Amino acid sequence: MRIFLDSANIDEVKKAYEMGAITGVTTNPSIISRENKKFDDVLGEILDVMGEETLVFAEVLALDAEGMIKEGLALAAKSPNIVVKIPALPEGLKAVKALSEKGIKVCVTVCFAATQAILAANAGASFVAPFVGRLDDIGENGLNLCADIREIFDAQGIDTKIVAASVRHPVHVTELARMGIDIATMPFKVINQMIANPNTDRAVAGFLKDWEKVPK
Ligand code: G3P
């Protein structure tokens, strides 16, 4: 399972990329707003840090298909690494069809139902992004939605990639990997939680202490 960073913070992007942890970055309007910088500047900085084989997801703001297509074309023109995020709305599907027919990579985002994922795939989306944590927030099970979409896509031979989003903690990550999800995108905090382990720290400290006993 590929790991993406769900952040537009350039320090986090650099750290996660240098760690070899990520092969992509996802953003949305809320994530961009936290950086207090112009959208084009933030996106440009992220594209500069990320290497050739990586993907950078950027979302449209328009709510009508025509506006989404216009924004999507402008975003895609910035780099071949850009994936245009379009919300799972009827107008969104129109835009997905139009953009994907032009060879632009599109991710249908804010997906909260398997039916939305099926329509996204039919419209030509390269990616679909179910929001795991936000379903958990309302007493549903976001992991179950991912499992449903995985099962349906496998049963139907659909090759649209599943990007699990709104990932909140390491257990989400292991469960997503277990069920064969293609990509999980998460905050930098979760990437750090995935590597942190007090036993590892204790073991390393013990090795260093014992090394002091070795005659020099
Ligand atoms: O990628 C979607 C993500 O940014 C939403 O996460 O934690 O705000 O639900 P969250």
Side-chain angles (χ1 to χ4, degrees), residues 38-155:
K38 288 186 184 159
F39 177 46
D40 282 349
D41 295 346
V42 179
L43 204 54
E45 283 178 358
I46 296 170
L47 286 165
D48 283 348
V49 170
M50 298 299 288
E52 267 178 29
E53 299 299 314
T54 62
L55 295 171
V56 176
F57 287 49
E59 189 158 343
V60 300
L61 287 165
L63 292 176
D64 63 299
E66 202 185 322
M68 289 173 180
I69 294 165
K70 203 172 149 207
E71 283 181 47
L73 288 171
L75 287 169
K78 290 179 189 294
S79 162
N81 296 9
I82 289 278
V83 176
V84 177
K85 286 176 81 177
I86 296 194
L89 299 168
E91 284 293 296
L93 291 180
K94 275 164 71 176
V96 172
K97 176 170 160 48
L99 290 168
S100 60
E101 281 173 358
K102 290 181 191 295
I104 291 169
K105 295 185 283 287
V106 178
C107 174
V108 169
T109 187
V110 282
C111 171
F112 289 94
T115 48
Q116 292 176 322
I118 294 167
L119 285 172
N122 274 275
S126 302
F127 303 88
V128 63
F131 272 35
V132 178
R134 291 199 189 187
L135 275 172
D136 295 355
D137 288 343
I138 57 166
E140 294 190 29
N141 188 321
L143 290 172
N144 285 350
L145 171 62
C146 293
D148 285 349
I149 298 173
R150 176 76 286 154
E151 188 181 343
I152 291 165
F153 281 10
D154 288 348

Side-chain angles (χ1 to χ4, degrees), residues 28-40:
N28 62 37
S30 303
I31 286 173
I32 295 287
S33 75
R34 289 179 208 141
E35 300 312 307
N36 201 22
K37 291 181 193 165
K38 288 186 184 159
F39 177 46
D40 282 349

